Amino acid sequence: MKVVHVKDETQRDACLARLCAEVYGHDAGIAPLAIFAGTLSVLVTQEAARVLALIDNESRPIALALLVLDELGESMEVVLLTGLDSDTVAQPAERLIGELALKAPLRVNAMNADQEKMFRECGIKRWFDGPDGTRIGVSSRHAATKLDDIPRTMHFDQRAVIQAFKQDKAIFDGYKERFVRGLESFPEVL
């Protein structure tokens, strides 16, 4: 197994589309498409986002993650994460986080005790109380020693993306086609 940064545009689009569909559900309305479009049009354009995959020994993707840089370019936040079906690897998403936690200044957000427990088991040991009951964890390679040390993560306005879809059907149709094409062409190997 190894972690792969998916750089090829076609494979990146396919992996991002699959990741959005897996995280938000295949019948989640406009949210997966808006995240897909905003990530590509804002974060990827600014070189602030990375699509990573954990591949098995046959180079098949078994977990996917979207990492976004902070505003200072010093650390990365796991924004989206999913494990894919695997006959050979148990808990592939957790394995991906474990690998990343060893190598990168990583930030994660846990929305509940179960998520925090899972991230702790992946090697995220330092935790802070965030807003609205969120727990924010950082890997040992992250420089933060208190919550105020954690720079803001780069982001885009999802509502603005949805508004652009409503105002310009060509933008909506273009990203929808790219999203569907990505889902249909998800690579069997990377």
Side-chain angles (χ1 to χ4, degrees):
M1 286 186 316
K2 71 177 184 174
V3 176
V4 174
H5 177 193
V6 185
K7 295 179 182 178
D8 175 80
E9 184 178 335
T10 303
Q11 290 181 336
R12 182 203 61 219
D13 286 6
C15 289
L16 181 59
R18 175 79 182 266
L19 182 56
C20 290
E22 293 288 333
V23 169
Y24 289 95
H26 294 272
D27 299 320
I30 197 76
L33 182 60
I35 298 298
F36 176 82
T39 299
L40 291 176
S41 65
V42 177
L43 299 175
V44 169
T45 300
Q46 295 177 358
E47 298 182 5
R50 309 279 183 274
V51 177
L52 300 178
L54 181 68
I55 59 172
D56 66 12
N57 293 335
E58 283 86 44
S59 297
R60 294 177 301 207
I62 56 174
L64 300 170
L66 174 64
L67 273 60
V68 177
L69 291 173
D70 68 43
E71 291 177 343
L72 302 176
E74 297 174 351
S75 64
M76 297 177 287
E77 180 179 339
V78 178
V79 175
L80 298 176
L81 172 69
T82 193
L84 304 174
D85 292 334
S86 173
D87 298 332
T88 57
V89 178
Q91 299 178 309
E94 290 84 348
R95 297 285 295 268
L96 177 56
I97 293 298
E99 291 290 322
L100 294 172
L102 290 173
K103 299 173 184 172
L106 198 64
R107 170 190 170 165
V108 296
N109 296 316
M111 302 312 211
N112 56 47
D114 290 338
Q115 284 184 347
E116 182 176 341
K117 180 181 181 221
M118 183 270 296
F119 285 128
R120 282 183 181 276
E121 290 170 357
C122 296
I124 306 292
K125 303 295 184 198
R126 221 168 335 137
W127 289 87
F128 309 100
D129 291 323
D132 303 320
T134 302
R135 296 276 292 156
I136 299 170
V138 294
S139 68
S140 61
R141 293 194 168 265
H142 200 291
T145 57
K146 61 186 185 296
L147 184 60
D148 292 342
D149 292 342
I150 302 173
R152 285 177 19 122
T153 301
M154 301 278 290
H155 67 282
F156 61 90
D157 185 345
Q158 185 176 344
R159 290 175 301 191
V161 173
I162 293 170
Q163 192 63 33
F165 287 168
K166 290 178 181 177
Q167 292 176 351
D168 191 336
K169 187 169 178 355
I171 291 173
F172 173 79
D173 289 341
Y175 278 108
K176 180 179 175 187
E177 181 181 320
R178 222 168 142 181
F179 186 84
V180 170
R181 188 175 45 230
L183 289 175
E184 291 170 346
S185 64
F186 183 73
E188 293 198 25
V189 295
L190 289 171

